[in-house]
Amino acid sequence: MYFAALLARTEDGWEASDTELDDVETLTDLADLAREAAVDDDTVVAFIEQEDAWFGVVRVDGEDDPRVFLSNAAAAAKSSYGAMLTDELLGREEDDVADDLDSLDLDGTEDGEPESNDNNDHVDDDDPLEAVNGSDGPPHGPLGDAALLADLGVSEKELLALDGDALSTIADSLGCTEVLEAVR
């Protein structure tokens, strides 16, 4: 189950809104949604959380490129919204993995019998299956810009150390716990 919210900074503090991500397919879509919630092109922070598996923070400042942080990229990559952010951070195009799978010869008939590999520990860097199965996969841990909230009171070190109910901890630091809890 997902939780998503947008926090828009205003002159009087923060305004929060519960966010539906049904129409969000790319980071650009999410950034556009955040910009719509912005007051006078000020900072908007999007929180996305999937139960206790991972959380993501996307910061949008006016027309600047969005900044993204994921707490656990490997866990996030297993979900649709997390995969969208992970792929963006890793510079992957949407069809890269599908293209890798399409290029595989899975029946072994193209060049006759498959060659035997006496060294089972060998990893072929050019093998698309290796890329799909994890050697090129997202890291099991944080990914992105851990300093994206530093000027708002959450240091890089603090963000990297968060676990559990991280979004509430971040909201405490931003001074908007009540606003966030109102949309939860």
Side-chain angles (χ1 to χ4, degrees), residues 54-183:
W54 63 273
F55 71 90
V57 180
V58 178
R59 178 178 176 162
V60 178
D61 294 299
E63 293 300 317
D64 292 347
D65 288 340
R67 297 166 62 190
V68 180
F69 173 81
L70 292 170
S71 64
N72 185 329
K78 295 176 183 176
S79 67
S80 58
Y81 301 119
M84 167 191 66
L85 297 173
T86 303
D87 289 348
E88 183 72 31
L89 288 169
L90 294 174
R92 291 184 182 161
E93 294 298 319
E94 209 171 282
D95 297 324
D96 282 355
V97 172
D99 290 345
D100 287 344
L101 287 174
D102 289 343
S103 69
L104 292 176
D105 173 30
L106 297 177
D107 67 3
T109 60
E110 184 176 87
D111 293 324
E113 291 298 311
E115 295 180 29
S116 68
N117 185 357
D118 293 333
N119 181 2
N120 291 331
D121 295 332
H122 173 74
V123 174
D124 183 358
D125 292 333
D126 295 326
D127 182 0
L129 187 58
E130 284 295 320
V132 173
N133 284 334
S135 67
D136 261 354
H140 292 276
L143 180 66
D145 184 357
L148 80 165
L149 300 174
D151 64 321
L152 299 175
V154 182
S155 73
E156 182 175 349
K157 182 179 178 182
E158 291 169 320
L159 190 60
L160 290 169
L162 289 177
D163 60 359
D165 191 9
L167 299 187
S168 292
T169 304
I170 294 169
D172 285 345
S173 296
L174 297 178
C176 59
T177 302
E178 291 177 17
V179 174
L180 180 63
E181 291 305 317
V183 297

